[in-house]
Amino acid sequence: LAFTLAAEGNSVGLLDVDICGPSVPRMLGLSGREVQQSGSGWTPISVDLEGDTDGELLVMSVGFMLPNADDAIIWRGPRKNGLIKQFLTDVDWGTLDYLIVDTPPGTSDEHLSIIQYLRGSGIDGAVVVTTPQEVAMQDVRKEINFCRKTNVEVLGLVENMSGYQSPVSNLQFRDPSSGADVTAATMAMIQSKCPELLSVMAHAEVFPAFGDGPQGMAAKFGVDLLGKLPLDNQLMAACEQGQAFVTAYPDSIACAPLKSIVANLKARVEANAATRAAREGAAASE
């Protein structure tokens, strides 16, 4: 999300408040970088964006402060809260179009703290991510209710790991009895008997949806389904290598769905901003 918004020319800040499991430095190719201090506070790490863009991406995470990336962070709530407050007050973010806050799963101290500290500045809302299984959706329902109780708008729901898609030509085949790789022989058979199959897209529901799935849950709670993101090994590779997915793999299976999700999210944020401006204008004229 942050990479895609920045690639579109926006100034984006990404704040990682998953204190005990900071994965953002690795996913953005920033492992080993350290935060510097200046007269105006901590300087966030800037990501080198590929391609022709006027955007920028600034990142802050506790992962930049660990002497060893494998060190465990064993902190109680007050210390976590203090660091989150510092991230918001002592970091020189400059002028941003978007500040994206990456939180851990659940409804814990990190969520309460970020809502408390940003309340006065205005929070556009939350994007909630789920997978199709009930084990995941039961937690997400709690997160949606948490947002409502704390007066944070749910901008939309994203279904992650929504099936697997791949060209038949990229599949591997194994003998069901021995487990031996028979890909070469199978591809040769397809090529000789039905070559048009090699251009067909195969789809599998790796995690079958429970009930009506995330789409049904979104409808029940009255929130938008921003989109469905399929399993994609190139998306995983981009995260492992710290690359901007839509730039590095523009023809990948998940690229178009991700762009659509970002576009839907931007439209929702902009529509809400226009509604607030109209209300404020009407109130000022009374």
Side-chain angles (χ1 to χ4, degrees):
L1 175 58
F3 261 137
T4 304
L5 287 170
E8 293 178 352
N10 297 291
S11 180
V12 181
L14 176 58
L15 174 56
D16 180 9
V17 298
D18 191 348
I19 305 299
C20 295
S23 56
V24 164
R26 174 61 185 264
M27 294 174 68
L28 272 72
L30 301 174
S31 298
R33 300 284 293 274
E34 296 181 358
V35 173
Q36 303 297 321
Q37 283 192 308
S38 65
S40 55
W42 286 339
T43 301
I45 304 298
S46 178
V47 178
D48 294 328
L49 298 174
E50 300 177 4
D52 183 18
T53 177
D54 294 328
E56 66 173 346
L57 177 52
L58 305 176
V59 185
M60 179 57 71
S61 169
V62 71
F64 298 134
M65 302 175 181
L66 299 177
N68 186 322
D70 295 329
D71 286 347
I73 300 175
I74 308 173
W75 290 359
R76 294 187 183 275
R79 194 169 180 188
K80 289 182 181 180
N81 297 343
L83 182 61
I84 292 171
K85 186 174 183 179
Q86 279 189 285
F87 280 163
L88 293 170
T89 59
D90 295 351
V91 175
D92 183 13
W93 290 104
T95 302
L96 299 175
D97 297 308
Y98 298 93
L99 175 62
I100 299 171
V101 181
D102 179 38
T103 63
T107 54
S108 56
D109 289 337
E110 291 88 341
H111 304 79
L112 289 169
S113 296
I114 204 71
I115 291 171
Q116 175 188 347
Y117 297 141
L118 286 178
R119 180 72 71 188
S121 302
I123 301 173
D124 287 304
V127 177
V128 184
V129 182
T130 187
T131 51
Q133 317 96 303
E134 172 60 12
V135 171
M137 292 195 297
Q138 68 180 1
D139 289 339
V140 168
R141 288 193 290 270
K142 294 180 178 68
E143 291 166 0
I144 293 174
N145 283 322
F146 169 86
C147 290
R148 290 182 171 172
K149 289 181 179 180
T150 54
N151 296 315
V152 174
E153 180 179 356
V154 177
L155 297 171
L157 181 71
V158 174
E159 180 180 338
N160 197 15
M161 301 184 184
S162 179
Y164 176 75
Q165 299 179 52
S166 173
V168 171
S169 58
N170 289 350
L171 296 177
Q172 292 184 344
F173 298 88
R174 294 189 178 277
D175 185 287
S177 57
S178 66
D181 189 338
V182 293
T183 301
T186 304
M187 288 297 183
M189 184 190 312
I190 295 174
Q191 182 66 49
S192 64
K193 296 187 176 182
C194 191
E196 56 270 25
L197 279 180
L198 295 175
S199 60
V200 172
M201 189 70 67
H203 177 89
E205 294 294 340
V206 181
F207 304 111
F210 177 84
D212 294 327
Q215 187 162 358
M217 180 173 64
K220 178 180 177 180
F221 280 87
V223 300
D224 292 340
L225 182 67
L226 296 176
K228 300 182 179 184
L229 198 63
L231 285 164
D232 187 337
N233 60 347
Q234 291 182 321
L235 177 56
M236 180 202 69
C239 292
E240 289 286 307
Q241 297 161 7
Q243 295 178 306
F245 171 64
V246 296
T247 303
Y249 300 99
D251 299 322
S252 188
I253 297 298
C255 189
L258 179 58
K259 286 184 175 181
S260 176
I261 289 168
V262 173
N264 291 338
L265 176 59
K266 285 178 62 180
R268 182 62 184 271
V269 170
E270 291 166 1
N272 287 354
T275 300
R276 284 195 302 270
R279 288 174 181 171
E280 292 170 0
S285 63
E286 292 179 356

